[in-house]
Structures are given as structure tokens and as C-alpha cells.
Amino acid sequence: PQSSQGKNPPTPADDADADTKASAEETTDNDDAAGGESAEVDVVTKLESQIKDLKDNLLRSLAEQENTRRIARRDVANSKSFAISSFAKSLLDTSDNLTRALDAVPEELRHDHENNAVLANLYEGISMTDDGLNKAFAKNGLKKFGEKGDKFDPNIHEALFEYPDPEGVPGNVGQVMKAGFMLNERVVRPAEVGVVKAAP
């Protein structure tokens, strides 16, 4: 009889080995795919974190720059507003002297051009000078304050004394010894005043 040539037909054991090998290769491929996906997720997460940090740093830098610009604008504004402060203070005594000169003229003689023309003209000249000085003050942000009847405010008034006054309101300014001045809403000199107190 003629002998058969070639491979023997696969046995059930051979089929089982082939299935096991294929399953192992598939598992390896799945593990490799899962590992690749995990690595990609890690890279994306890292990049997102870096982007967030860069955005935070950018916003913080922009905020600091804006804050620096705001402070610079405020300093420039203050410099412009109060540059004349020392000069204005040096003129306050002149204003006080003009006020004293006006107050020294008796009220009934201030406009008596018939009988006291020299004194009336002098009063008028001093008054015009005082008005001109106050206009120059106002033009540069310097404002005089302190009037009889004002509510006493320790932030802008300096109380030199208290006294009873039946016609006055307790807690109000009754006498102004020296006018106060503000430069752009900042007190340059408080008004020196006498304050009405309640009668005992």
C-alpha cells in the first residue's frame, strides 16, 4: 500500500492551543491600546493644567499692570491737585490780614463817602483786593470756609472755646476767630472757632 504524504490533520488539542494563542495576542493588543489611551489622557490632562496655570499667570499679570497704572494716575492727579499746597499756605496770612483790616473799619463808616471818603475808599480798595485774592484761591481749588451758624465739625473746625449764647444753637459755631481753607476738598487749615454751648 502507498504511504500518505503531508501534515496530519489537526487534533482537538491543536485547536485549543491555537485558540489560546489567539486569545493571548488579542489580550496583548487590548492592553497596548488601553495603555496608549491612558498615556494620551495623561498628556491632555497635563496640557490642560499648564494652560490653566498660564491663563492664571496672565490674568494676574494684567491685574497687577492695571493696578500699577491706577496708582500712577492717582499719584499724578494728587501731585497736580496739591502741588500749590505750600504756596497756598504762605498766602493764608495775607488773607487773614485783609480780613482783619476789613473788620477794623466800623460798619457805619464803610460806605460813608460823604463824611469819611478816605476811609470808605480804603475799605473799598481792601475789599476788592480780598475778593480778587479769594477768586484766585477758588480758581486753583482753594476754598475758604467757616461761618457763624455752621454745625461744628471736628474734622474741619478747631474749637478754641465754648460759651453760652441764648440766641445761638448749642453745638454750632458762634464766633469765627480765623477762617479755614480747603484745597481740593482737603483741609489745609481748620477754621478756629468758638462753639455755642447749652446754657446751664
Side-chain angles (χ1 to χ4, degrees):
Q2 186 178 356
S3 63
S4 61
Q5 301 291 330
K7 295 181 179 181
N8 295 325
T11 64
D14 292 335
D15 292 340
D17 290 340
D19 291 342
T20 301
K21 183 176 180 181
S23 176
E25 291 177 353
E26 183 178 353
T27 300
T28 301
D29 291 342
N30 290 338
D31 290 342
D32 291 342
E37 291 177 359
S38 177
E40 290 179 0
V41 170
D42 290 343
V43 170
V44 170
T45 302
K46 185 176 180 180
L47 289 175
E48 288 178 347
S49 177
Q50 291 177 350
I51 291 172
K52 182 180 179 182
D53 290 342
L54 290 173
K55 185 183 293 185
D56 290 342
N57 291 335
L58 177 60
L59 293 176
R60 189 178 297 110
S61 177
L62 292 175
E64 290 176 355
Q65 291 178 15
E66 179 58 30
N67 190 46
T68 300
R69 284 193 292 267
R70 182 178 57 80
I71 293 174
R73 287 195 296 267
R74 184 192 63 192
D75 290 344
V76 170
N78 286 340
S79 178
K80 289 181 179 179
S81 297
F82 304 107
I84 65 167
S85 179
S86 60
F87 176 69
K89 287 181 180 180
S90 67
L91 291 177
L92 299 186
D93 287 340
T94 301
S95 177
D96 293 337
N97 290 333
L98 290 173
T99 300
R100 292 190 191 98
L102 292 172
D103 292 340
V105 180
E107 190 171 352
E108 65 273 11
L109 302 178
R110 294 175 181 179
H111 304 289
D112 188 1
H113 290 278
E114 292 184 2
N115 301 317
N116 296 280
V118 174
L119 190 59
N121 289 334
L122 178 62
Y123 179 85
E124 184 177 344
I126 295 174
S127 181
M128 291 175 63
T129 302
D130 187 53
D131 288 342
L133 183 60
N134 286 326
K135 287 179 181 178
F137 283 168
K139 185 178 180 180
N140 289 280
L142 190 65
K143 182 176 65 175
K144 181 187 287 189
F145 68 90
E147 297 288 340
K148 181 178 179 179
D150 289 347
K151 181 69 176 176
F152 177 76
D153 183 349
N155 295 312
I156 62 175
H157 297 126
E158 181 180 349
L160 301 182
F161 56 89
E162 288 185 310
Y163 70 101
D165 185 352
E167 298 181 356
V169 178
N172 281 6
V173 173
Q175 296 182 32
V176 179
M177 311 307 294
K178 187 180 289 187
F181 285 88
M182 286 186 179
L183 179 62
N184 296 319
E185 304 305 321
R186 179 186 293 180
V187 176
V188 175
R189 186 183 75 183
E192 298 179 0
V193 300
V195 181
V196 177
K197 69 177 181 179

